[in-house]
Each structure stands twice: as structure tokens, then as C-alpha cells.
Amino acid sequence: MNEPLDLLLKHVSIRRYKDESIPEDHIHQAVLAGQAASTSSAVQAYSLLQVTDKAERQKLVSLTGGQTKVANCGAFFVICGDTRRHRLICEREGQTYEARTEAFLLSVVDASLFAQNLVIAFESMGYGICYIGGLRNQLDEVDELLELPHGVYPLYGLCVGVPDEKPMTRPRLPVDAVLFKGRYPTDIDLAETIDDYDETYREYMQQRTGKARPWSTSMSRKFSEPQRVQVGDYYRRKGADLT
Amino acid sequence: MNEPLDLLLKHVSIRRYKDESIPEDHIHQAVLAGQAASTSSAVQAYSLLQVTDKAERQKLVSLTGGQTKVANCGAFFVICGDTRRHRLICEREGQTYEARTEAFLLSVVDASLFAQNLVIAFESMGYGICYIGGLRNQLDEVDELLELPHGVYPLYGLCVGVPDEKPMTRPRLPVDAVLFKGRYPTDIDLAETIDDYDETYREYMQQRTGKARPWSTSMSRKFSEPQRVQVGDYYRRKGADLT
């Protein structure tokens, strides 16, 4: 086991932070590491907005469904897909920027490779992190609050700070439910791995919350209800042509 | 500088590989590290398909625009968004799976956080990697070749292997063109950072290719032409409801 591998394997999301901010040079270093991630043909279709205003962070607590860690963590960032630089470049060269599903997809992938490197960099310095998907609960309001221009759109938030808890690691699907050689498995084989995982997950939930809920139950509840139905329209308004 | 940070910062994509395959236990270990990445509410909306058949890898060379490394690297993987497990679960519980832009977006983010951890794990073991966005050039053909079921869709490929070259690191945008505190910059400020970067990039391209092409020129060429216009339709056919 090498040191980076060990760091990756011990990841847990941190939801409680000490009241300590993050030195600028640590943020700078982490962003450099984030940028070192692969990017499709060097397009670098992302930006990182650090929300520094206390009142804005407090507002974001309610916009993300009451997640107080958004205000309490050492630093809060918004990870954005960013097509604005490309649009500007096309514009000043008299070209038309061709927005398509591909360009949007590329920004989501690029931003996420960047974000995960950023996260690992912060974790390597001893910080804890938590991604905030809840930032997509009310994208229009977040956009208005942060005054984001056309072509720049939040994908998710990121809390970073000094951990004030030591949570259990959440068990993942077994490797053979995720890695397939040659062909994707049949539904019968897939169902078996889900059943096995449900057992493991149930035990974890029992220990963590006192309620032995299997993974399947969480998934069927989550995916049988329409979620964040406005996100497509929001991204379209910000210039993504999801055709 | 700690060891994981050092590893992140020295990343370069590898396009030439030695003729050595990757031991199964290394792949297993890297997948475990990949899975340790954050996943939205534990949904784990991804799968990793290793293409093991030689003829299929050769076919993928042409489907990705003649990228011979797809056949020559130590192991070639297809990173897939995967909603199939969730669909199965909903189905067997008598629920309707609610596909929306959100569910698709979630799979792209989840898969990319997983993929980047996977990549770092492989790099920590001394392997080189290259993401293959060209896998989206002809998604229907890739899908047919790999016989992917409904709800499972390739996002990009990944070459892994023992490096047989030592490329220069490609310079990234300056940190102050990517990290913003409080507010996104004005177009004038943004244009200045682009101009600075164009100089750096031009020098890099001169050294690497003998042609001093600035970043702007690559970007305007890339984004003023419609790219991979079929991807939206393909993902829709695989069950993503991009509304």
C-alpha cells in the first residue's frame, strides 16, 4: 500500500468542522493540483468560486436544504462548469460558439476531474471535505445570489475544513458489482450483487443511524420520485444546448 | 509538499505504453480506491467495463478516430454512467424509475469522481493513463460492439499501462483565471488572463510540436464547429431524459 492509495481508501465525507479557516496558500496549492487533472484537449471548462461573504454562505445554507456546514466549514466553494472563456474567444475571433450536449457534458466531466483532484489535495493536507449536491436544489436562486454570468453554472458545492468528527466509512458496492470484464452482467447476476450489498449496507446503517435500512430501499425511494426537475431548464438558460 | 500532492502535480497523459499487461490485483486495488470517492447519497451510478478481447480493442481504435493506444496499452477500460441497478431496484419494488436530467448529471459526476480516483490509484502504482474522450465519437457503434444494456452508457475510455515516454506537462490556465473569490470576473479581466495564458501555451506548443499555436486558436477552432452532435440522442436512447 502506497501513501496516495492509503489516502484515497480512507476517505470519508466530513459534515462537522472546527472553526478554523483555510490559509490562502493551501487553497492555491490545492487548485494547482486540481488543475493538474486531465482535461479534454486542454479546454479546462470549469471555474471555482469561493464564497467568502458570511451572509451569502448563510443564505446558501437555506438554499441547499438547511446544510449548516455550508456556513460552518473552513471554506466553501462552488464548482462551476465554465464555457464563458470559450465563448469570449469565439466571439472576439468572429466565430459562433457551438453549444451542444457534448460541450455541456465536457464541462461536467472536466469540472469533476478537477474537483476530485482538488479534494484529494485538501485531504492530503489533513482537511476534510463534503460535496454539496444540494446546491442543485435551487439553482436559479444560487445563480442570482452569486451573480454568475451566462455560460458559467454551478454543478455542486464543496465544503472544506478541519474535521471535528470521525465518521465510519460507508461501505461501497462490491468490486464485482462495478468492474466487469468483457461484458456487462445479466440482470440476475446484477440482482444478486445488489442483495449481497443490501446486507452489508443494512448493518452499516444500523450502526450509524440505528435503523437497518438496506441500500435498495434508499435507492427506490430516491429514484421513484422526480428530483430537481428544474436543472435541465436552468442549464439551458445558462447556454447549454441539451440537444 | 506531501506525497499525494506531488503525485497529482506531476500528472501527464501517457500515449505510448510498454507491452505489459496489468495484474488483476492492481486493477482490483485501483477500483477499490475509485469507489472510495464521494458518491451522491451512495447512488454509485457508474460501472467500469474492461475490454479484454483483442479484436474488440482493435475495433475501438478505429471507433475512437485511430487511437492505437486503445489497443496497445496495458488495459483499456470504458467508464460508464450506470442507472441500471437503480432501474432494476425500482422495477422489482413496483416503482417507476424517474429519469431526468438530474439523474443523468448525477451519473456523469459520480462516474468522473470515481474515474479520477481510479486514475490516481493507477498512477500511484507507477502506471500511466490517458482518458479517451474520442469514445464519444461513435457512441452507437461502441454500444453495439460492447452490447451494453439499457441504462448503461459509455462516457469515455481509459488507457492504463506502463509508460514508454516522458512527455512534458502541459501548462494550465493561471490559478487566478480559475479560482475566484466572491464574484466571477468581468470579461475584460477574463480576457487578460486568456492573453497571458496564450503566451505560455504558445511556447509550450512550440517546444512540443514546433508550431507556436496559442490556446485561443485551439479553442476557437474546437468550439466553432459542431462536435459529436449525436451524443444527446444516444444518451436519450439509453434512458436519459434530458428535460
Side-chain angles (χ1 to χ4, degrees), chain B residues 204-237:
Chain B
Y204 160 78
M205 290 301 278
Q206 175 68 44
Q207 278 197 285
R208 188 179 136 184
T209 68
K211 284 186 195 164
R213 182 192 277 190
W215 184 67
S216 289
T217 310
S218 298
M219 294 305 108
S220 64
R221 282 196 196 172
K222 187 175 173 71
F223 287 108
S224 61
E225 299 219 336
Q227 287 175 76
R228 298 173 184 153
V229 293
Q230 91 298 355
V231 303
D233 282 342
Y234 168 76
Y235 291 123
R236 273 190 195 89
R237 279 197 299 279

Short mmCIF file of all heavy atoms in Angstrom, two decimals, chain B residues 204-237:
data_model
loop_
_atom_site.label_atom_id
_atom_site.label_comp_id
_atom_site.label_asym_id
_atom_site.label_seq_id
_atom_site.Cartn_x
_atom_site.Cartn_y
_atom_site.Cartn_z
N TYR B 204 4.84 26.47 -25.08
CA TYR B 204 4.73 25.03 -24.87
C TYR B 204 4.50 24.29 -26.19
O TYR B 204 5.17 23.30 -26.50
CB TYR B 204 3.60 24.74 -23.88
CG TYR B 204 3.05 23.32 -23.94
CD1 TYR B 204 3.73 22.26 -23.33
CD2 TYR B 204 1.86 23.06 -24.60
CE1 TYR B 204 3.23 20.97 -23.40
CE2 TYR B 204 1.35 21.77 -24.67
CZ TYR B 204 2.04 20.73 -24.07
OH TYR B 204 1.53 19.45 -24.14
N MET B 205 3.60 24.81 -27.01
CA MET B 205 3.29 24.16 -28.29
C MET B 205 4.49 24.23 -29.23
O MET B 205 4.75 23.29 -29.99
CB MET B 205 2.05 24.79 -28.93
CG MET B 205 0.76 24.48 -28.21
SD MET B 205 0.37 22.69 -28.10
CE MET B 205 -0.34 22.40 -29.72
N GLN B 206 5.21 25.33 -29.19
CA GLN B 206 6.42 25.48 -30.00
C GLN B 206 7.41 24.35 -29.65
O GLN B 206 7.92 23.66 -30.54
CB GLN B 206 7.05 26.85 -29.74
CG GLN B 206 8.40 27.08 -30.44
CD GLN B 206 8.24 27.17 -31.96
OE1 GLN B 206 7.33 27.82 -32.45
NE2 GLN B 206 9.12 26.50 -32.71
N GLN B 207 7.61 24.15 -28.36
CA GLN B 207 8.55 23.12 -27.91
C GLN B 207 8.05 21.72 -28.23
O GLN B 207 8.82 20.85 -28.61
CB GLN B 207 8.75 23.22 -26.39
CG GLN B 207 9.75 24.29 -25.97
CD GLN B 207 10.19 24.04 -24.54
OE1 GLN B 207 9.44 24.31 -23.62
NE2 GLN B 207 11.40 23.52 -24.35
N ARG B 208 6.76 21.52 -28.03
CA ARG B 208 6.23 20.17 -28.20
C ARG B 208 6.02 19.79 -29.66
O ARG B 208 6.26 18.66 -30.06
CB ARG B 208 4.90 20.04 -27.43
CG ARG B 208 4.39 18.62 -27.42
CD ARG B 208 3.09 18.44 -26.66
NE ARG B 208 2.18 17.58 -27.41
CZ ARG B 208 0.94 17.30 -27.06
NH1 ARG B 208 0.43 17.80 -25.96
NH2 ARG B 208 0.18 16.52 -27.81
N THR B 209 5.51 20.73 -30.45
CA THR B 209 5.13 20.37 -31.81
C THR B 209 5.88 21.15 -32.88
O THR B 209 5.72 20.87 -34.07
CB THR B 209 3.61 20.64 -32.03
OG1 THR B 209 3.40 22.07 -32.00
CG2 THR B 209 2.76 20.00 -30.96
N GLY B 210 6.63 22.20 -32.46
CA GLY B 210 7.29 23.04 -33.46
C GLY B 210 6.37 24.11 -34.04
O GLY B 210 6.79 24.92 -34.85
N LYS B 211 5.08 24.09 -33.62
CA LYS B 211 4.16 25.13 -34.09
C LYS B 211 3.64 25.93 -32.90
O LYS B 211 3.02 25.37 -31.99
CB LYS B 211 2.97 24.50 -34.82
CG LYS B 211 3.30 24.01 -36.22
CD LYS B 211 2.03 23.55 -36.92
CE LYS B 211 2.38 22.72 -38.15
NZ LYS B 211 1.25 21.95 -38.66
N ALA B 212 3.87 27.22 -32.92
CA ALA B 212 3.55 28.07 -31.77
C ALA B 212 2.08 28.48 -31.75
O ALA B 212 1.76 29.65 -31.85
CB ALA B 212 4.46 29.31 -31.78
N ARG B 213 1.21 27.53 -31.59
CA ARG B 213 -0.22 27.85 -31.62
C ARG B 213 -0.72 28.24 -30.22
O ARG B 213 -0.55 27.50 -29.26
CB ARG B 213 -1.01 26.63 -32.10
CG ARG B 213 -2.50 26.91 -32.21
CD ARG B 213 -3.31 25.66 -32.40
NE ARG B 213 -3.34 25.25 -33.80
CZ ARG B 213 -4.14 24.30 -34.26
NH1 ARG B 213 -4.95 23.64 -33.44
NH2 ARG B 213 -4.11 23.98 -35.53
N PRO B 214 -1.35 29.41 -30.11
CA PRO B 214 -1.89 29.82 -28.80
C PRO B 214 -3.15 29.01 -28.45
O PRO B 214 -3.80 28.45 -29.34
CB PRO B 214 -2.22 31.30 -28.98
CG PRO B 214 -2.35 31.51 -30.45
CD PRO B 214 -1.55 30.44 -31.15
N TRP B 215 -3.46 29.00 -27.17
CA TRP B 215 -4.62 28.25 -26.67
C TRP B 215 -5.91 28.74 -27.33
O TRP B 215 -6.73 27.93 -27.77
CB TRP B 215 -4.69 28.43 -25.14
CG TRP B 215 -5.76 27.65 -24.46
CD1 TRP B 215 -5.83 26.30 -24.33
CD2 TRP B 215 -6.90 28.18 -23.75
NE1 TRP B 215 -6.94 25.95 -23.59
CE2 TRP B 215 -7.61 27.09 -23.22
CE3 TRP B 215 -7.37 29.47 -23.51
CZ2 TRP B 215 -8.77 27.25 -22.47
CZ3 TRP B 215 -8.53 29.63 -22.76
CH2 TRP B 215 -9.23 28.53 -22.25
N SER B 216 -6.05 30.05 -27.43
CA SER B 216 -7.27 30.64 -28.03
C SER B 216 -7.58 30.06 -29.40
O SER B 216 -8.74 29.80 -29.72
CB SER B 216 -7.08 32.15 -28.23
OG SER B 216 -7.09 32.80 -27.00
N THR B 217 -6.55 29.89 -30.19
CA THR B 217 -6.75 29.39 -31.55
C THR B 217 -7.30 27.96 -31.52
O THR B 217 -8.24 27.63 -32.25
CB THR B 217 -5.42 29.43 -32.34
OG1 THR B 217 -4.86 30.72 -32.17
CG2 THR B 217 -5.63 29.12 -33.80
N SER B 218 -6.73 27.12 -30.63
CA SER B 218 -7.26 25.76 -30.50
C SER B 218 -8.71 25.79 -30.04
O SER B 218 -9.55 25.04 -30.54
CB SER B 218 -6.45 24.96 -29.47
OG SER B 218 -5.12 24.84 -29.88
N MET B 219 -9.00 26.67 -29.09
CA MET B 219 -10.35 26.71 -28.53
C MET B 219 -11.37 27.23 -29.55
O MET B 219 -12.46 26.68 -29.66
CB MET B 219 -10.39 27.59 -27.26
CG MET B 219 -9.60 27.04 -26.09
SD MET B 219 -10.06 25.34 -25.57
CE MET B 219 -8.64 24.40 -26.12
N SER B 220 -11.00 28.26 -30.31
CA SER B 220 -11.98 28.79 -31.27
C SER B 220 -12.22 27.78 -32.39
O SER B 220 -13.34 27.63 -32.87
CB SER B 220 -11.57 30.16 -31.80
OG SER B 220 -10.38 30.05 -32.55
N ARG B 221 -11.16 27.06 -32.78
CA ARG B 221 -11.37 26.01 -33.79
C ARG B 221 -12.27 24.91 -33.27
O ARG B 221 -13.16 24.43 -33.95
CB ARG B 221 -10.03 25.38 -34.18
CG ARG B 221 -9.27 26.28 -35.13
CD ARG B 221 -8.16 25.54 -35.83
NE ARG B 221 -7.25 26.53 -36.41
CZ ARG B 221 -6.10 26.25 -36.96
NH1 ARG B 221 -5.68 25.00 -37.03
NH2 ARG B 221 -5.35 27.20 -37.45
N LYS B 222 -12.01 24.54 -32.03
CA LYS B 222 -12.77 23.43 -31.44
C LYS B 222 -14.24 23.78 -31.24
O LYS B 222 -15.13 23.01 -31.60
CB LYS B 222 -12.16 23.03 -30.10
CG LYS B 222 -12.76 21.79 -29.46
CD LYS B 222 -12.02 21.39 -28.19
CE LYS B 222 -12.71 20.26 -27.47
NZ LYS B 222 -12.61 18.97 -28.15
N PHE B 223 -14.49 24.97 -30.69
CA PHE B 223 -15.85 25.28 -30.27
C PHE B 223 -16.67 26.01 -31.33
O PHE B 223 -17.86 26.27 -31.11
CB PHE B 223 -15.84 26.05 -28.95
CG PHE B 223 -15.49 25.17 -27.78
CD1 PHE B 223 -14.26 25.28 -27.14
CD2 PHE B 223 -16.38 24.21 -27.33
CE1 PHE B 223 -13.92 24.45 -26.07
CE2 PHE B 223 -16.06 23.38 -26.26
CZ PHE B 223 -14.83 23.50 -25.63
N SER B 224 -16.07 26.35 -32.46
CA SER B 224 -16.87 26.98 -33.53
C SER B 224 -17.37 25.93 -34.52
O SER B 224 -18.04 26.25 -35.48
CB SER B 224 -16.05 28.06 -34.25
OG SER B 224 -14.91 27.48 -34.84
N GLU B 225 -17.04 24.67 -34.25
CA GLU B 225 -17.59 23.59 -35.09
C GLU B 225 -18.47 22.69 -34.24
O GLU B 225 -18.08 22.34 -33.12
CB GLU B 225 -16.44 22.75 -35.67
CG GLU B 225 -15.51 23.55 -36.54
CD GLU B 225 -15.07 22.76 -37.75
OE1 GLU B 225 -15.10 21.52 -37.70
OE2 GLU B 225 -14.70 23.40 -38.75
N PRO B 226 -19.62 22.29 -34.76
CA PRO B 226 -20.47 21.37 -34.00
C PRO B 226 -19.70 20.08 -33.73
O PRO B 226 -19.12 19.52 -34.66
CB PRO B 226 -21.66 21.11 -34.93
CG PRO B 226 -21.58 22.15 -35.99
CD PRO B 226 -20.16 22.58 -36.09
N GLN B 227 -19.69 19.64 -32.48
CA GLN B 227 -18.94 18.43 -32.14
C GLN B 227 -19.87 17.32 -31.67
O GLN B 227 -20.77 17.57 -30.88
CB GLN B 227 -17.98 18.72 -30.99
CG GLN B 227 -16.79 19.57 -31.36
CD GLN B 227 -16.00 19.88 -30.12
OE1 GLN B 227 -15.28 19.02 -29.62
NE2 GLN B 227 -16.16 21.06 -29.60
N ARG B 228 -19.59 16.14 -32.09
CA ARG B 228 -20.30 14.95 -31.58
C ARG B 228 -21.79 15.24 -31.37
O ARG B 228 -22.32 15.09 -30.27
CB ARG B 228 -19.67 14.50 -30.26
CG ARG B 228 -18.22 14.09 -30.45
CD ARG B 228 -17.50 13.79 -29.14
NE ARG B 228 -16.10 13.49 -29.37
CZ ARG B 228 -15.11 13.69 -28.49
NH1 ARG B 228 -15.38 14.17 -27.30
NH2 ARG B 228 -13.88 13.40 -28.79
N VAL B 229 -22.43 15.66 -32.45
CA VAL B 229 -23.81 16.14 -32.35
C VAL B 229 -24.79 15.03 -31.97
O VAL B 229 -25.92 15.31 -31.60
CB VAL B 229 -24.27 16.81 -33.66
CG1 VAL B 229 -23.49 18.10 -33.90
CG2 VAL B 229 -24.11 15.87 -34.85
N GLN B 230 -24.33 13.79 -32.05
CA GLN B 230 -25.25 12.68 -31.78
C GLN B 230 -25.32 12.29 -30.31
O GLN B 230 -26.15 11.47 -29.93
CB GLN B 230 -24.86 11.48 -32.65
CG GLN B 230 -23.87 10.48 -32.04
CD GLN B 230 -22.48 11.07 -31.70
OE1 GLN B 230 -22.18 12.22 -32.00
NE2 GLN B 230 -21.64 10.29 -31.04
N VAL B 231 -24.47 12.87 -29.46
CA VAL B 231 -24.40 12.33 -28.08
C VAL B 231 -25.71 12.48 -27.32
O VAL B 231 -26.11 11.56 -26.60
CB VAL B 231 -23.21 12.90 -27.24
CG1 VAL B 231 -21.86 12.66 -27.89
CG2 VAL B 231 -23.40 14.35 -26.89
N GLY B 232 -26.40 13.62 -27.49
CA GLY B 232 -27.66 13.81 -26.77
C GLY B 232 -28.66 12.72 -27.12
O GLY B 232 -29.27 12.11 -26.24
N ASP B 233 -28.81 12.46 -28.43
CA ASP B 233 -29.75 11.44 -28.88
C ASP B 233 -29.36 10.06 -28.35
O ASP B 233 -30.21 9.27 -27.94
CB ASP B 233 -29.80 11.39 -30.42
CG ASP B 233 -30.63 12.54 -30.96
OD1 ASP B 233 -31.41 13.12 -30.18
OD2 ASP B 233 -30.48 12.86 -32.16
N TYR B 234 -28.05 9.77 -28.39
CA TYR B 234 -27.61 8.47 -27.90
C TYR B 234 -27.98 8.29 -26.43
O TYR B 234 -28.58 7.28 -26.05
CB TYR B 234 -26.10 8.28 -28.10
CG TYR B 234 -25.59 7.08 -27.34
CD1 TYR B 234 -25.82 5.79 -27.80
CD2 TYR B 234 -24.94 7.24 -26.12
CE1 TYR B 234 -25.42 4.68 -27.08
CE2 TYR B 234 -24.52 6.14 -25.39
CZ TYR B 234 -24.75 4.86 -25.87
OH TYR B 234 -24.36 3.77 -25.14
N TYR B 235 -27.63 9.28 -25.60
CA TYR B 235 -27.92 9.13 -24.16
C TYR B 235 -29.42 9.05 -23.90
O TYR B 235 -29.87 8.35 -23.01
CB TYR B 235 -27.25 10.25 -23.35
CG TYR B 235 -25.74 10.14 -23.32
CD1 TYR B 235 -24.92 11.18 -23.76
CD2 TYR B 235 -25.11 8.98 -22.86
CE1 TYR B 235 -23.52 11.07 -23.75
CE2 TYR B 235 -23.73 8.85 -22.84
CZ TYR B 235 -22.94 9.90 -23.30
OH TYR B 235 -21.57 9.78 -23.27
N ARG B 236 -30.19 9.77 -24.71
CA ARG B 236 -31.65 9.66 -24.58
C ARG B 236 -32.12 8.25 -24.88
O ARG B 236 -32.96 7.70 -24.16
CB ARG B 236 -32.34 10.63 -25.54
CG ARG B 236 -32.52 12.00 -24.95
CD ARG B 236 -33.43 12.87 -25.80
NE ARG B 236 -33.26 14.25 -25.36
CZ ARG B 236 -32.35 15.08 -25.84
NH1 ARG B 236 -31.56 14.70 -26.83
NH2 ARG B 236 -32.23 16.29 -25.36
N ARG B 237 -31.59 7.67 -25.94
CA ARG B 237 -32.00 6.30 -26.29
C ARG B 237 -31.62 5.32 -25.19
O ARG B 237 -32.25 4.28 -25.01
CB ARG B 237 -31.35 5.85 -27.61
CG ARG B 237 -32.08 6.37 -28.84
CD ARG B 237 -31.69 5.61 -30.10
NE ARG B 237 -30.27 5.72 -30.40
CZ ARG B 237 -29.71 6.76 -31.02
NH1 ARG B 237 -30.44 7.79 -31.39
NH2 ARG B 237 -28.42 6.78 -31.26
#
